[in-house]
Amino acid sequence: MQPTATVLVYSDDSRTREQVRLAAGRRPAPDVPEVEFLECATPAAVLRELDRGGIDICVLDGEAVPMGGMGVCRQIKDEVFNCPPTLVLIARPQDAWLATWSRADAAVTLPVEPVEFASALASLLRRKALVGTP
């Protein structure tokens, strides 16, 4: 039996967090582990959970207020040792360069499109398994 992957979802909007949960389902692809979601509505909560450890992937809402997911992404990439892979939700495809600036490992556009999101999340889970990141 495969272990469960913990996915942190940061957004100040509960509807966006719900879209992420529904798009991924229990398992975003047959060859990756089932996922459990840990929801955070503030940047402080994200940092607190990352300090606790056990997070496999971070999904960060680029449109979150007061601090967008791209700012949070850049901060955690700078400050968190062995930062988990990050997937940023962006408002427009033209914002992909900002996701690159933030050092995100992947980006998908809002609103969350289930097939695109599940594919991106599964890809990060596969990559994490191949790299063997703690």
Side-chain angles (χ1 to χ4, degrees), residues 8-13 16 40-44 46-47 58-77 86-91 95 98-99 101-104 110:
L8 181 146
V9 182
Y10 163 64
S11 179
D12 65 313
D13 185 341
T16 300
C40 296
T42 67
V46 172
L47 294 174
C58 292
V59 177
L60 309 168
D61 179 4
E63 301 303 306
V65 176
M67 185 174 189
M70 287 182 261
V72 171
C73 184
R74 188 161 175 102
Q75 180 179 353
I76 66 176
K77 291 290 187 170
T86 55
L87 190 157
V88 175
L89 306 173
I90 57 177
D95 293 336
L98 286 169
W101 167 85
S102 73
R103 299 190 198 122
L110 289 167

Side-chain angles (χ1 to χ4, degrees), residues 25 50 71 78-79 85 102 116 120 122:
L50 287 170
D78 285 342
E79 296 178 4
S102 73
E116 178 188 24

Side-chain angles (χ1 to χ4, degrees), residues 17-117:
R17 296 191 308 264
E18 180 182 36
Q19 285 179 22
V20 166
R21 285 192 325 271
L22 293 174
R26 292 181 53 133
R27 181 174 289 189
D31 62 328
V32 299
E34 287 188 8
V35 293
E36 289 182 355
F37 294 97
L38 177 62
E39 296 184 30
C40 296
T42 67
V46 172
L47 294 174
R48 189 171 43 252
E49 294 300 335
L50 287 170
D51 282 344
R52 285 188 184 141
I55 305 298
D56 295 297
I57 306 287
C58 292
V59 177
L60 309 168
D61 179 4
E63 301 303 306
V65 176
M67 185 174 189
M70 287 182 261
V72 171
C73 184
R74 188 161 175 102
Q75 180 179 353
I76 66 176
K77 291 290 187 170
D78 285 342
E79 296 178 4
V80 175
F81 180 70
N82 283 334
C83 183
T86 55
L87 190 157
V88 175
L89 306 173
I90 57 177
R92 310 170 303 150
Q94 298 88 335
D95 293 336
W97 73 271
L98 286 169
T100 301
W101 167 85
S102 73
R103 299 190 198 122
D105 298 287
V108 297
T109 56
L110 289 167
V112 176
E113 196 284 313
V115 173
E116 178 188 24
F117 179 79

